[in-house]
Short mmCIF file of all heavy atoms in Angstrom, two decimals:
data_model
loop_
_atom_site.label_atom_id
_atom_site.label_comp_id
_atom_site.label_asym_id
_atom_site.label_seq_id
_atom_site.Cartn_x
_atom_site.Cartn_y
_atom_site.Cartn_z
N SER A 1 0.79 -1.19 0.02
CA SER A 1 -0.04 0.05 0.03
C SER A 1 0.82 1.25 0.01
O SER A 1 0.33 2.36 0.21
CB SER A 1 -0.90 -0.02 1.28
OG SER A 1 -0.16 -0.07 2.46
N GLY A 2 2.17 1.13 -0.25
CA GLY A 2 3.05 2.29 -0.05
C GLY A 2 3.63 2.28 1.30
O GLY A 2 3.24 1.47 2.14
N VAL A 3 4.60 3.17 1.57
CA VAL A 3 5.29 3.22 2.81
C VAL A 3 5.41 4.71 3.25
O VAL A 3 5.75 5.54 2.46
CB VAL A 3 6.65 2.64 2.70
CG1 VAL A 3 7.47 2.75 4.00
CG2 VAL A 3 6.63 1.14 2.31
N SER A 4 5.18 4.95 4.53
CA SER A 4 5.31 6.28 5.13
C SER A 4 6.83 6.52 5.28
O SER A 4 7.42 6.28 6.33
CB SER A 4 4.60 6.37 6.44
OG SER A 4 3.29 6.30 6.23
N ALA A 5 7.40 7.00 4.26
CA ALA A 5 8.91 7.05 4.23
C ALA A 5 9.48 8.18 5.16
O ALA A 5 10.69 8.08 5.47
CB ALA A 5 9.40 7.44 2.80
N LYS A 6 8.69 9.17 5.61
CA LYS A 6 9.24 10.16 6.47
C LYS A 6 9.27 9.88 7.92
O LYS A 6 9.78 10.65 8.71
CB LYS A 6 8.41 11.46 6.24
CG LYS A 6 8.59 12.08 4.76
CD LYS A 6 7.80 13.37 4.62
CE LYS A 6 8.02 13.97 3.32
NZ LYS A 6 7.33 15.18 3.09
N LEU A 7 8.73 8.67 8.29
CA LEU A 7 8.73 8.35 9.76
C LEU A 7 10.22 8.12 10.17
O LEU A 7 11.09 7.62 9.43
CB LEU A 7 7.97 7.04 9.94
CG LEU A 7 6.45 7.06 9.62
CD1 LEU A 7 5.85 5.66 9.81
CD2 LEU A 7 5.82 8.14 10.56
N PRO A 8 10.48 8.54 11.40
CA PRO A 8 11.87 8.38 11.94
C PRO A 8 12.40 6.97 11.81
O PRO A 8 13.54 6.77 11.53
CB PRO A 8 11.75 8.84 13.32
CG PRO A 8 10.63 9.81 13.38
CD PRO A 8 9.64 9.25 12.38
N ASP A 9 11.57 5.96 12.12
CA ASP A 9 12.01 4.57 12.08
C ASP A 9 12.36 4.10 10.72
O ASP A 9 13.04 3.08 10.49
CB ASP A 9 10.97 3.66 12.68
CG ASP A 9 10.89 3.66 14.15
OD1 ASP A 9 11.98 3.67 14.78
OD2 ASP A 9 9.78 3.75 14.75
N LEU A 10 11.92 4.85 9.69
CA LEU A 10 12.19 4.43 8.25
C LEU A 10 12.99 5.51 7.51
O LEU A 10 13.20 5.34 6.28
CB LEU A 10 10.84 4.17 7.52
CG LEU A 10 10.12 2.93 7.99
CD1 LEU A 10 8.73 2.88 7.42
CD2 LEU A 10 10.96 1.66 7.66
N ARG A 11 13.48 6.47 8.20
CA ARG A 11 14.20 7.51 7.51
C ARG A 11 15.46 6.95 6.85
O ARG A 11 16.17 6.22 7.60
CB ARG A 11 14.63 8.65 8.51
CG ARG A 11 15.12 9.85 7.87
CD ARG A 11 15.20 11.06 8.87
NE ARG A 11 13.83 11.43 9.37
CZ ARG A 11 13.54 11.72 10.59
NH1 ARG A 11 14.51 11.63 11.54
NH2 ARG A 11 12.36 12.06 10.98
N ASP A 12 15.70 7.31 5.59
CA ASP A 12 16.80 6.81 4.86
C ASP A 12 16.74 5.35 4.52
O ASP A 12 17.63 4.82 3.89
CB ASP A 12 18.22 7.00 5.59
CG ASP A 12 18.43 8.48 5.92
OD1 ASP A 12 18.04 9.35 5.10
OD2 ASP A 12 18.98 8.77 7.07
N ALA A 13 15.65 4.70 4.76
CA ALA A 13 15.51 3.30 4.41
C ALA A 13 14.62 3.14 3.11
O ALA A 13 14.75 2.08 2.47
CB ALA A 13 14.78 2.51 5.54
N VAL A 14 13.88 4.11 2.64
CA VAL A 14 12.92 3.92 1.62
C VAL A 14 13.31 4.77 0.41
O VAL A 14 13.46 5.97 0.41
CB VAL A 14 11.52 4.40 2.11
CG1 VAL A 14 10.48 4.14 0.99
CG2 VAL A 14 11.16 3.70 3.37
N LEU A 15 13.46 4.03 -0.68
CA LEU A 15 13.79 4.59 -1.94
C LEU A 15 12.51 5.15 -2.70
O LEU A 15 11.41 4.67 -2.39
CB LEU A 15 14.49 3.61 -2.91
CG LEU A 15 15.75 2.97 -2.34
CD1 LEU A 15 16.12 1.76 -3.27
CD2 LEU A 15 16.81 3.92 -2.25
N PRO A 16 12.64 6.00 -3.66
CA PRO A 16 11.55 6.31 -4.48
C PRO A 16 11.05 5.11 -5.28
O PRO A 16 11.85 4.41 -5.86
CB PRO A 16 12.08 7.42 -5.48
CG PRO A 16 13.33 7.93 -4.76
CD PRO A 16 13.93 6.80 -4.00
N GLY A 17 9.76 4.84 -5.24
CA GLY A 17 9.25 3.69 -5.94
C GLY A 17 8.20 4.13 -6.98
O GLY A 17 8.48 4.99 -7.75
N ALA A 18 7.13 3.34 -7.01
CA ALA A 18 6.17 3.59 -7.98
C ALA A 18 4.71 3.28 -7.54
O ALA A 18 4.53 2.34 -6.77
CB ALA A 18 6.44 2.78 -9.36
N ASP A 19 3.82 4.07 -7.94
CA ASP A 19 2.35 3.80 -7.75
C ASP A 19 1.77 3.15 -8.91
O ASP A 19 1.39 3.90 -9.88
CB ASP A 19 1.60 5.06 -7.33
CG ASP A 19 0.25 4.85 -6.79
OD1 ASP A 19 -0.31 3.78 -7.21
OD2 ASP A 19 -0.26 5.65 -6.03
N ILE A 20 1.77 1.89 -9.01
CA ILE A 20 1.23 1.11 -10.23
C ILE A 20 -0.28 1.35 -10.34
O ILE A 20 -0.91 1.46 -11.40
CB ILE A 20 1.54 -0.36 -10.09
CG1 ILE A 20 3.10 -0.58 -10.00
CG2 ILE A 20 0.96 -1.14 -11.34
CD1 ILE A 20 3.84 -0.11 -11.13
N ASP A 21 -0.95 1.45 -9.16
CA ASP A 21 -2.38 1.56 -9.16
C ASP A 21 -2.89 2.85 -9.74
O ASP A 21 -3.75 2.92 -10.60
CB ASP A 21 -2.94 1.49 -7.72
CG ASP A 21 -2.82 0.08 -7.14
OD1 ASP A 21 -2.60 -0.90 -7.83
OD2 ASP A 21 -2.85 -0.01 -5.84
N ALA A 22 -2.20 3.92 -9.32
CA ALA A 22 -2.63 5.29 -9.82
C ALA A 22 -1.90 5.65 -11.14
O ALA A 22 -2.39 6.63 -11.75
CB ALA A 22 -2.33 6.29 -8.73
N GLY A 23 -0.83 5.06 -11.38
CA GLY A 23 -0.08 5.42 -12.61
C GLY A 23 0.83 6.60 -12.48
O GLY A 23 1.45 7.00 -13.39
N LYS A 24 0.96 7.09 -11.25
CA LYS A 24 1.87 8.26 -10.94
C LYS A 24 2.18 8.20 -9.43
O LYS A 24 1.35 7.67 -8.70
CB LYS A 24 1.28 9.53 -11.41
CG LYS A 24 -0.04 9.93 -10.70
CD LYS A 24 -0.55 11.24 -11.25
CE LYS A 24 -1.91 11.62 -10.50
NZ LYS A 24 -2.37 12.89 -10.94
N GLY A 25 3.31 8.87 -9.10
CA GLY A 25 3.70 8.90 -7.68
C GLY A 25 4.80 7.88 -7.37
O GLY A 25 4.96 6.92 -8.14
N ASP A 26 5.43 8.07 -6.23
CA ASP A 26 6.56 7.26 -5.91
C ASP A 26 6.27 6.23 -4.78
O ASP A 26 7.24 5.60 -4.31
CB ASP A 26 7.82 8.09 -5.64
CG ASP A 26 7.68 8.95 -4.40
OD1 ASP A 26 6.71 8.86 -3.70
OD2 ASP A 26 8.68 9.73 -4.16
N ALA A 27 5.04 6.22 -4.31
CA ALA A 27 4.65 5.34 -3.27
C ALA A 27 5.31 5.47 -1.83
O ALA A 27 5.30 4.61 -1.06
CB ALA A 27 4.79 3.89 -3.71
N ARG A 28 5.85 6.64 -1.62
CA ARG A 28 6.51 6.92 -0.35
C ARG A 28 5.51 7.62 0.62
O ARG A 28 5.90 8.30 1.56
CB ARG A 28 7.79 7.78 -0.56
CG ARG A 28 8.85 6.92 -1.13
CD ARG A 28 10.20 7.56 -0.99
NE ARG A 28 10.34 8.71 -1.86
CZ ARG A 28 11.55 9.47 -1.86
NH1 ARG A 28 12.48 9.14 -1.09
NH2 ARG A 28 11.54 10.57 -2.67
N THR A 29 4.22 7.32 0.41
CA THR A 29 3.22 7.51 1.39
C THR A 29 2.40 6.27 1.41
O THR A 29 2.38 5.50 0.50
CB THR A 29 2.27 8.71 1.03
OG1 THR A 29 1.71 8.49 -0.23
CG2 THR A 29 3.08 10.02 1.03
N ASP A 30 1.68 6.07 2.56
CA ASP A 30 0.90 4.83 2.72
C ASP A 30 -0.61 5.12 2.52
O ASP A 30 -1.16 5.88 3.16
CB ASP A 30 1.10 4.26 4.10
CG ASP A 30 0.68 2.78 4.23
OD1 ASP A 30 -0.32 2.40 3.68
OD2 ASP A 30 1.37 2.05 4.93
N SER A 31 -1.23 4.47 1.50
CA SER A 31 -2.61 4.64 1.14
C SER A 31 -3.56 3.82 1.97
O SER A 31 -4.80 3.91 1.73
CB SER A 31 -2.80 4.42 -0.32
OG SER A 31 -2.62 3.07 -0.60
N ASP A 32 -3.04 3.05 2.86
CA ASP A 32 -3.93 2.05 3.52
C ASP A 32 -4.64 2.84 4.69
O ASP A 32 -4.31 2.71 5.89
CB ASP A 32 -3.10 0.92 4.07
CG ASP A 32 -3.97 -0.08 4.87
OD1 ASP A 32 -5.23 -0.08 4.63
OD2 ASP A 32 -3.42 -0.90 5.60
N ASP A 33 -5.70 3.58 4.40
CA ASP A 33 -6.50 4.29 5.36
C ASP A 33 -7.42 3.33 6.08
O ASP A 33 -7.93 3.65 7.17
CB ASP A 33 -7.18 5.50 4.81
CG ASP A 33 -8.06 5.13 3.64
OD1 ASP A 33 -8.13 3.91 3.22
OD2 ASP A 33 -8.69 6.04 3.04
N GLU A 34 -7.81 2.23 5.44
CA GLU A 34 -8.76 1.25 6.08
C GLU A 34 -8.25 0.68 7.32
O GLU A 34 -8.92 0.47 8.29
CB GLU A 34 -9.11 0.21 5.00
CG GLU A 34 -10.18 -0.75 5.53
CD GLU A 34 -10.48 -1.85 4.49
OE1 GLU A 34 -10.20 -1.65 3.31
OE2 GLU A 34 -11.16 -2.84 4.90
N GLU A 35 -6.93 0.23 7.32
CA GLU A 35 -6.35 -0.44 8.43
C GLU A 35 -5.14 0.31 8.97
O GLU A 35 -4.34 -0.29 9.71
CB GLU A 35 -6.04 -1.87 8.13
CG GLU A 35 -7.32 -2.70 7.93
CD GLU A 35 -8.18 -2.87 9.11
OE1 GLU A 35 -7.71 -2.49 10.26
OE2 GLU A 35 -9.33 -3.43 8.98
#
């Protein structure tokens, strides 16, 4: 669902990726609002 890349526990761990679902974006935010 993407990754919250700015969190301190993940800082410097997350590369720019891809949002295949939306067709744009680097998936460095987490879209999982349901859970």
